Amino acid sequence: MGVIARHGQLCLHITWSRCPDSTRPETMRPCHLPCKKDCVVTAFSEWTPCPRLCKSGNATTRQSRYRIINQEAANGGRECPDTLFEERECEEVSLCPIYRWRPQKWSPCVLVPESVRQGIMSTSEACGKGVQTRAVSCISDDNESAEMAECLKQANSMPPLVQECTVPCRDDCTFTAWSKFTPCSTNCETTRSRRRQLTGKSRKKEKCQDADIYPLVETEPCPCDVFTSQPYGNWSDCILPESRRDPQRGLRVQGDSKQCGQGVRLQARACSDKSGRPVDPSLCGSSGYIQEDCVIPCPFDCKLSDWSSWGSCSSSCGIGVRIRSKWLKEKPYNGGRPCPKLDLKNQVHEAVPCYSECNQYSWVVEHWSPCRIHSELRSLRCGGGTQSRKVRCVNTAVGEAGAVNTSLCDQDGIPPETQPCSLLCPSECVMSTWGPWSQCPQSCDPHTMQRRTRHLLRPSLSSRTCAEDSQVRPCLLNENCFQFQYNLTDWSTCQLHENATCGQGVRTRLLSCVRSDGKRVGVDQCEQRNLEKPQRMSLHCLVECVVNYQLSEWTAWTECSQTCGRGGRMSRTRFIMLPTQGEGRPCPTELTQQKTCPVTPCYSWVLGNWSACKLEGGDCGEGVQVRSLSCVVHSGSISDSAVRVQEAQCKDMPFPDGILKQLCSVPCPGDCHLTEWSEWSACELTCVDGRSFETVGRQSRSRTFIIQSFENQDSCPQQVLETRSCTGGKCYHYTWKASLWNNNERTVWCQRSDGINVTGGCSPQARPAAIRQCNPACRKPFSYCTQGGICGCEKGYTEIMRSNGFLDYCMKVPGSEDKKAHVKILAGKNRPVNSKIHDIFKGWSLQPLDPDGRVKIWVYGVSGGGFLIMIFLVFTSYLVCKKPKPHQSTPPQQKPLTLAYDGDLDM
């Protein structure tokens, strides 16, 4: 850090006090000289250890050491050394001895008598199947005996010690050993064969002549070494060449690490033989990949020009702005650093406030010319006229000689170039010029008057009075009275030191004086009125430096997600070690790369289906089931395309011996036959309102018994249920479902929330009815329960309903002509169940007799009511027909009483 100073500037032709302090340029400022930074590296690590014992074969053993960069060189400092990693070969490491197996000759075939195999005692036999053994030892490359453990470390698994053998019996067919296979031609379509011959007495035995049972020639297709490859999977990402790394150093961060340029992309190839069987990719002469060149484009940052020079201040009086700009030279692409916000002309601007003294340019006037009288009479030397003068705009710093364009001066305050004038005649009063107006208060109170005066220089010779010698006017705001206030600009952008692009800077703002009518005036106008000034005119700021991201190197490729077959993938990852700051390059989105694994064949053991239950000497009872075990090759999934191969291709058998054989039974007549277990149900939790607090669920399976004889159905159990714990269960809820009614019956079932129909789960108490019955039951003769759930009558009978809507009895219909209008007839099968009209009038059926022939109670009530009405009518007629007595007024005529029978209210 240092200091830069410069000579002060002078105000020309005016005193120092006329230059405002707020715009005085600084004479000293701090500067920054970057210090040199040397590269700093750690010391070399210790050499990695060499093998203590020995090395195998032609392998070379090496040891290495490394050192790490702690600080990169900067600003011309000492550069980092080129060597950060060193390797050397280990010295005085002996070769490891080589061990191998030495098998001995097979012993003679030792028979296993059939009596031993069946567990019974018998005399020994001289033929049949047996076993033979041999000894196996471990030796070194110089034929010296060694421990078995040494061979087990280096060589393959121990050769078999026991094998099956056969001693031919007297009646067996004997053959010579098989000959070698005939040679194959280059054509893959050919076959090869081998032969054998009968020996001894077998040549004369008829059964040995059967070629189907004892073939003398074997033929097989010739091995075909024609392999084809085809692409598999998608292309990988573009992979750049990997730099050599030391695994012990971990992730190395380098600013110049290669992240773009020429690379390759890979696509896996699947290799197969002529029959389509997958084989190792090396047989197709490739590493398992197709490779083609690709390019990762390098990022290109936005390029702008250097800053232009600062322009002139936009205002000639008061506060303005100065502007400088940059323009776009090249746009960014491929993830380069973005450009700042540009205008329509692809430019970026920076503005700072500036201040120009309002009296820098001022109007200069010359003296008025003599008054020129307007009268045409030359004899007159007095009266009205005009006078003129010259007006110029000058730079006050240069003086009156520095005339400038009139546009630089205040156009509102331009002095007049002409004015009227008058020459007083000898007989007139002579007055002095008007003095200045008195000052108005700063509040510009309109009730305050402003005054100016003049005095008499020569009285009038005539009797005429002289003109007034004083004038007044109110103080009106923005007319003859003005108020002033300081005006602050906004803060400028952060201004850095010269040649700096980021770091500490300064933001400034400027102060000006503004009149109440908006006119900018000199700062001295506000200073004269002792107005309060803002204190802070500058503050420190920080421009964030542009920092591009830094990435770690790619990690090593992961192991393939599958050990063989198709669909395996490998990936590698890189990490953001330093994120972008400021307007640096945006971080890349590709932080993981993937590629398909080479397609290698899969070899698996496959179990065949169980055979039928084989019984020994019977048609039912206990027996044995067997199944085969074979080695197949496939491309990752065992399907119909899997091909059987030699068992040596598969690894050790993962199945126990008992998995190839199991006991079975064939039910005898009358037995209870147990079926196979069903599949395990889905894992289920105990839930309350759709939520469960269990972590372990349950699943179940069942098996049932098939009854062979109907007589034994009571002795056989119904069902066997088995449950077990499980994880990953779900909550289910159960709902009763029902079909539509059909002849008062419907199907009801329980459905789980996943749409599966189940047995159990729903509440038995909430089970809907599957059969619909009328309530009360239909016990009347010729009645039955209808589809609507009410009692109706059979065909040929009419329903007689009670007032409560229930069936009263069924009446036989003799014919349509016998139907009475006042009887409500309702056909049971056509009865509108939901008819509102029927509900209103369903109680209005007039039947005087019960089904058993007795008179109903309402009939007695109607008869009694009719008798009372007849008595009333007779009494009324008597009163009407009776003779009136003399001297009595005629009584008013009585209205006859009319009763209307509206039906039986008891119904």
Side-chain angles (χ1 to χ4, degrees):
M1 184 68 72
V3 176
I4 299 177
R6 61 181 177 185
H7 296 291
Q9 298 179 354
L10 300 178
C11 281
L12 301 179
H13 301 284
I14 55 177
T15 61
W16 283 99
S17 60
R18 296 292 298 277
C19 291
D21 292 336
S22 60
T23 60
R24 180 175 181 176
E26 58 184 3
T27 59
M28 186 177 299
R29 68 178 183 185
C31 61
H32 178 71
L33 294 176
C35 299
K36 293 183 178 180
K37 288 185 179 181
D38 295 336
C39 176
V40 178
V41 296
T42 63
F44 272 105
S45 64
E46 296 293 333
W47 288 101
T48 56
C50 286
R52 296 181 179 180
L53 300 176
C54 60
K55 61 181 180 180
S56 59
N58 297 324
T60 58
T61 56
R62 306 177 68 86
Q63 58 180 168
S64 61
R65 65 176 184 173
Y66 64 91
R67 54 182 174 179
I68 299 174
I69 298 175
N70 286 338
Q71 176 178 287
E72 299 279 358
N75 306 321
R78 187 174 64 251
E79 295 294 332
C80 294
D82 294 333
T83 304
L84 297 176
F85 179 80
E86 291 183 346
E87 278 186 334
R88 71 182 182 186
E89 291 189 9
C90 292
E91 299 177 355
E92 298 179 357
V93 180
S94 61
L95 293 176
C96 296
I98 299 175
Y99 300 95
R100 58 186 174 86
W101 297 107
R102 174 186 281 178
Q104 305 295 329
K105 291 184 178 180
W106 290 104
S107 67
C109 189
V110 178
L111 298 178
V112 180
E114 188 69 22
S115 60
V116 175
R117 289 197 294 267
Q118 295 183 357
I120 59 175
M121 298 301 296
S122 176
T123 58
S124 60
E125 299 172 358
C127 65
K129 291 185 177 182
V131 294
Q132 56 185 168
T133 61
R134 66 177 176 180
V136 176
S137 60
C138 179
I139 61 173
S140 61
D141 51 359
D142 55 357
N143 292 328
E144 296 291 335
S145 296
E147 295 290 337
M148 290 289 187
E150 300 296 339
C151 284
L152 291 173
K153 291 179 182 177
Q154 291 187 6
N156 296 328
S157 59
M158 180 184 295
L161 301 177
V162 180
Q163 72 176 6
E164 290 186 353
C165 59
T166 303
V167 175
C169 296
R170 185 182 307 166
D171 294 333
D172 288 347
C173 298
T174 58
F175 302 88
T176 61
W178 284 104
S179 66
K180 293 183 179 180
F181 278 105
T182 58
C184 289
S185 64
T186 56
N187 189 355
C188 287
E189 301 294 334
T190 60
T191 59
R192 63 180 184 176
S193 61
R194 65 178 181 175
R195 296 178 179 273
R196 65 180 178 177
Q197 293 179 354
L198 292 168
T199 61
K201 296 180 179 180
S202 298
R203 288 179 292 184
K204 298 180 179 180
K205 293 179 180 179
E206 184 179 355
K207 68 173 185 178
C208 297
Q209 306 294 329
D210 190 349
D212 294 333
I213 300 176
Y214 304 105
L216 299 178
V217 179
E218 275 189 351
T219 303
E220 68 178 12
C222 284
C224 185
D225 295 334
V226 176
F227 303 100
T228 58
S229 64
Q230 57 183 359
Y232 169 74
N234 298 323
W235 286 97
S236 70
D237 301 315
C238 193
I239 301 171
L240 298 176
E242 298 183 13
S243 59
R244 189 174 67 176
R245 71 177 65 208
D246 181 4
Q248 297 182 4
R249 300 181 60 189
L251 298 176
R252 182 184 178 201
V253 179
Q254 288 290 337
D256 58 349
S257 60
K258 191 173 182 182
Q259 300 174 10
C260 60
Q262 189 78 22
V264 293
R265 63 175 188 162
L266 307 174
Q267 186 181 31
R269 294 190 70 89
C271 185
S272 58
D273 60 12
K274 183 184 176 184
S275 62
R277 182 176 60 185
V279 296
D280 192 86
S282 60
L283 296 177
C284 290
S286 68
S287 62
Y289 288 109
I290 309 172
Q291 179 176 308
E292 70 176 20
D293 294 334
C294 59
V295 175
I296 297 179
C298 295
F300 195 86
D301 298 336
C302 174
K303 282 191 177 181
L304 299 176
S305 65
D306 295 331
W307 285 110
S308 65
S309 301
W310 287 105
S312 59
C313 193
S314 61
S315 175
S316 60
C317 174
I319 293 177
V321 290
R322 288 193 303 160
I323 297 177
R324 66 175 182 175
S325 59
K326 289 182 180 181
W327 56 90
L328 178 65
K329 296 180 69 176
E330 292 187 47
K331 293 182 178 181
Y333 53 87
N334 299 331
R337 187 171 63 246
C339 293
K341 188 175 182 180
L342 303 174
D343 62 7
L344 296 177
K345 296 182 179 180
N346 285 334
Q347 292 182 343
V348 59
H349 302 280
E350 190 177 52
V352 294
C354 58
Y355 181 81
S356 298
E357 288 289 344
C358 292
N359 54 4
Q360 182 179 358
Y361 301 100
S362 61
W363 296 105
V364 175
V365 296
E366 296 181 357
H367 297 292
W368 288 107
S369 64
C371 189
R372 186 174 181 180
I373 304 302
H374 294 158
S375 175
E376 295 180 356
L377 298 176
R378 295 183 178 179
S379 58
L380 293 177
R381 294 287 185 267
C382 60
T386 57
Q387 58 184 166
S388 61
R389 62 181 175 182
K390 290 184 178 181
V391 178
R392 292 179 299 163
C393 179
V394 297
N395 189 342
T396 55
V398 179
E400 294 187 6
V404 295
N405 195 317
T406 57
S407 61
L408 297 177
C409 289
D410 183 14
Q411 299 298 314
D412 295 334
I414 182 171
E417 293 183 330
T418 59
Q419 69 176 3
C421 60
S422 64
L423 293 177
L424 299 175
C425 295
S427 60
E428 293 178 341
C429 292
V430 178
M431 303 293 293
S432 66
T433 58
W434 287 104
W437 289 100
S438 62
Q439 293 290 331
C440 285
Q442 292 189 13
S443 61
C444 293
D445 184 6
H447 299 94
T448 303
M449 306 303 290
Q450 191 180 25
R451 180 183 299 275
R452 68 174 179 175
T453 59
R454 61 181 177 177
H455 59 275
L456 180 65
L457 297 178
R458 186 184 68 187
S460 175
L461 299 180
S462 62
S463 59
R464 296 180 60 184
T465 58
C466 294
E468 60 182 358
D469 57 357
S470 66
Q471 289 180 343
V472 294
R473 63 181 182 182
C475 292
L476 300 177
L477 182 63
N478 295 336
E479 289 188 8
N480 59 340
C481 182
F482 298 94
Q483 295 176 346
F484 299 85
Q485 64 178 3
Y486 284 113
N487 182 37
L488 275 174
T489 64
D490 294 330
W491 289 106
S492 68
T493 56
C494 194
Q495 301 299 305
L496 302 174
H497 304 298
E498 191 174 358
N499 297 327
T501 57
C502 62
Q504 292 286 341
V506 178
R507 299 175 65 190
T508 59
R509 58 181 179 177
L510 296 180
L511 193 67
S512 65
C513 187
V514 179
R515 210 166 64 177
S516 56
D517 60 350
K519 183 178 180 181
R520 292 173 292 184
V521 296
V523 181
D524 57 333
Q525 295 288 341
C526 290
E527 292 175 346
Q528 292 173 5
R529 288 162 176 79
N530 297 321
L531 299 179
E532 184 178 0
K533 283 186 178 181
Q535 297 297 321
R536 197 166 188 179
M537 304 301 295
S538 65
L539 53 85
H540 295 287
C541 58
L542 177 67
V543 174
E544 192 174 11
C545 295
V546 173
V547 177
N548 292 331
Y549 62 86
Q550 285 190 354
L551 301 176
S552 68
E553 292 186 356
W554 289 103
T555 61
W557 289 100
T558 61
E559 295 292 335
C560 188
S561 59
Q562 294 182 187
T563 56
C564 62
R566 302 185 178 188
R569 301 192 69 81
M570 296 186 293
S571 63
R572 65 176 185 173
T573 309
R574 58 182 175 179
F575 305 95
I576 298 176
M577 308 302 291
L578 180 65
T580 299
Q581 297 179 15
E583 295 180 353
R585 291 179 182 174
C587 292
T589 57
E590 185 191 43
L591 298 178
T592 301
Q593 285 186 336
Q594 292 186 340
K595 65 179 180 180
T596 306
C597 300
V599 181
T600 56
C602 295
Y603 298 96
S604 303
W605 292 105
V606 176
L607 289 168
N609 296 324
W610 288 109
S611 67
C613 191
K614 296 181 180 180
L615 304 175
E616 295 292 339
D619 297 331
C620 65
E622 298 293 331
V624 176
Q625 281 181 301
V626 295
R627 58 180 174 180
S628 62
L629 179 66
S630 58
C631 179
V632 298
V633 61
H634 55 90
S635 297
S637 62
I638 301 176
S639 60
D640 296 336
S641 61
V643 181
R644 185 172 179 175
V645 295
Q646 296 178 359
E647 293 183 356
Q649 299 284 356
C650 292
K651 297 180 180 179
D652 295 337
M653 189 185 305
F655 305 105
D657 295 338
I659 203 165
L660 301 178
K661 182 186 292 186
Q662 70 176 6
L663 297 177
C664 60
S665 64
V666 175
C668 296
D671 291 346
C672 296
H673 176 48
L674 192 64
T675 62
E676 296 293 332
W677 284 105
S678 65
E679 296 293 333
W680 286 103
S681 65
C683 193
E684 187 173 355
L685 301 173
T686 301
C687 304
V688 178
D689 296 333
R691 298 182 61 188
S692 176
F693 301 96
E694 292 182 327
T695 57
V696 178
R698 290 154 305 280
Q699 55 184 166
S700 60
R701 64 177 182 174
S702 63
R703 59 195 306 184
T704 188
F705 287 86
I706 299 176
I707 304 172
Q708 300 291 330
S709 177
F710 184 74
E711 292 78 8
N712 296 339
Q713 62 176 344
D714 295 333
S715 62
C716 294
Q718 295 295 325
Q719 191 178 35
V720 179
L721 187 66
E722 188 178 70
T723 61
R724 70 179 182 183
S725 300
C726 57
T727 58
K730 296 182 180 179
C731 279
Y732 297 102
H733 60 268
Y734 300 86
T735 309
W736 286 110
K737 298 290 184 179
S739 63
L740 298 176
W741 288 105
N742 184 14
N743 293 328
N744 288 323
E745 293 183 355
R746 62 180 177 179
T747 304
V748 178
W749 69 94
C750 182
Q751 189 176 89
R752 205 165 63 187
S753 55
D754 57 353
I756 297 178
N757 300 333
V758 296
T759 301
C762 295
S763 173
Q765 291 77 11
R767 178 185 175 93
I771 300 176
R772 184 165 54 186
Q773 297 178 348
C774 291
N775 187 19
C778 301
R779 296 189 177 90
K780 302 291 185 181
F782 311 108
S783 66
Y784 72 98
C785 189
T786 64
Q787 190 79 10
I790 61 173
C791 293
C793 293
E794 297 178 356
K795 187 176 181 180
Y797 292 85
T798 300
E799 292 87 352
I800 306 301
M801 311 302 294
R802 293 182 181 178
S803 59
N804 55 8
F806 295 126
L807 178 68
D808 193 358
Y809 62 92
C810 293
M811 185 178 70
K812 186 174 179 61
V813 180
S816 59
E817 65 279 3
D818 296 330
K819 296 179 182 178
K820 297 183 180 179
H822 67 278
V823 178
K824 182 70 176 180
I825 298 176
L826 178 64
K829 294 185 180 180
N830 299 323
R831 179 177 181 266
V833 178
N834 297 323
S835 174
K836 293 184 179 179
I837 299 176
H838 170 74
D839 292 340
I840 296 173
F841 296 102
K842 62 185 178 181
W844 294 83
S845 296
L846 300 179
Q847 295 295 333
L849 301 177
D850 284 334
D852 54 2
R854 291 182 297 177
V855 179
K856 292 185 177 181
I857 297 176
W858 67 268
V859 177
Y860 294 105
V862 171
S863 301
F867 179 73
L868 294 176
I869 292 174
M870 290 177 63
I871 294 176
F872 178 75
L873 291 176
V874 171
F875 179 72
T876 304
S877 301
Y878 169 75
L879 294 177
V880 172
C881 299
K882 183 181 179 181
K883 276 188 177 182
K885 292 182 178 182
H887 308 291
Q888 286 184 349
S889 61
T890 304
Q893 185 177 359
Q894 299 291 326
K895 292 183 178 181
L897 178 61
T898 304
L899 295 178
Y901 176 67
D902 200 17
D904 187 1
L905 298 177
D906 295 331
M907 293 290 292

